[in-house]
Amino acid sequence: MHELRRLIAAGGERGIIYLIAASTGIRRGELRSLEWRDVVLDVAHPFIFVRKSIAKNHKEARQPLPDYVARELRKARPFDFGTTERVFKRGIPDIDTFKRDLAAAGISYVDSEGRFADFHALRMTYSTLLAMVGVAERMRMELNRHSDARLTAHTYTDASMLPLSAAVSMLPMLVDDGSDSHIHSQGLVPGSLKLSPIVPIEPGNVILLTARNEVVSPAESASVPESPKAVESAPCRNRTCNPVIKSHLLCQLS
């Protein structure tokens, strides 16, 4: 986040371009063709209209704008602007200009993992930021204008940035938070007929073990039924390989 803020500040008049790219996910070529008629600011929910004639997927879209980004665009909008006037008259920064802005912001063009901080990285950042604040995957797919959720989830999300610990901390507590809330196996598992008592073994004695209403002698050979043969078409012996798992929830959703 700090790197992105430094880049926007280092870009000067180009900073508004970086801000919009990282706040809407609009592609470089689409930004180049934006006209002021596409920037709808004077409504309750401001947005940028991406015409299908300039969209990469040839489908029109309304990309929502955060309120603070809409304010910055109002400041940049000329008082007597023409509806077909380009928003960015000087165009979008080329790679050399972008590299200079990166250097001014103290950002390496190639990181330790060999990833490039090119202009497209702003779109990647947009998608990852949406995931970090908890936006549902289906909504992220729509905001990214992807046709496949796997593209959003894998290619356009940096998993190392996801707040996994924060997510786990939101799970409900399953034990009391009092000082005496220790987990004891004897307390959690009460005695029952299914639990065998301790049987002292003495040499030369015949011992009979009880299991519910049945008496079993250890001297007798137990008959163990043969395990059923695995179905040849089964993908594996792991239960999670079964596409239909009918496990019920251990909590009530209400």
Side-chain angles (χ1 to χ4, degrees), residues 235 239-245:
R239 184 171 179 268
T240 56
C241 292
N242 188 341
V244 180
I245 297 177

Side-chain angles (χ1 to χ4, degrees), residues 72-88:
E72 294 300 319
L73 277 168
R74 289 190 191 98
K75 296 176 185 177
R77 183 175 60 183
F79 178 75
D80 56 347
F81 68 92
T83 55
T84 58
E85 182 180 342
R86 290 286 178 91
V87 176
F88 307 114

Side-chain angles (χ1 to χ4, degrees), residues 158-201:
D158 186 347
S160 66
M161 298 290 291
L162 298 179
L164 302 182
S165 296
V168 171
S169 68
M170 292 188 292
L171 291 173
M173 294 184 64
L174 302 179
V175 295
D176 294 334
D177 58 354
S179 58
D180 59 346
S181 59
H182 298 94
I183 297 178
H184 298 292
S185 60
Q186 294 179 353
L188 290 178
V189 184
S192 69
L193 295 175
K194 295 182 179 180
L195 298 179
S196 300
I198 299 175
V199 180
I201 300 177

Side-chain angles (χ1 to χ4, degrees), residues 49-53 55 57-62 145:
F49 182 69
V50 182
R51 289 170 278 120
K52 63 181 180 181
S53 60
N57 60 1
H58 306 292
K59 295 180 180 180
E60 64 182 36
R62 295 187 177 192
R145 291 177 287 151

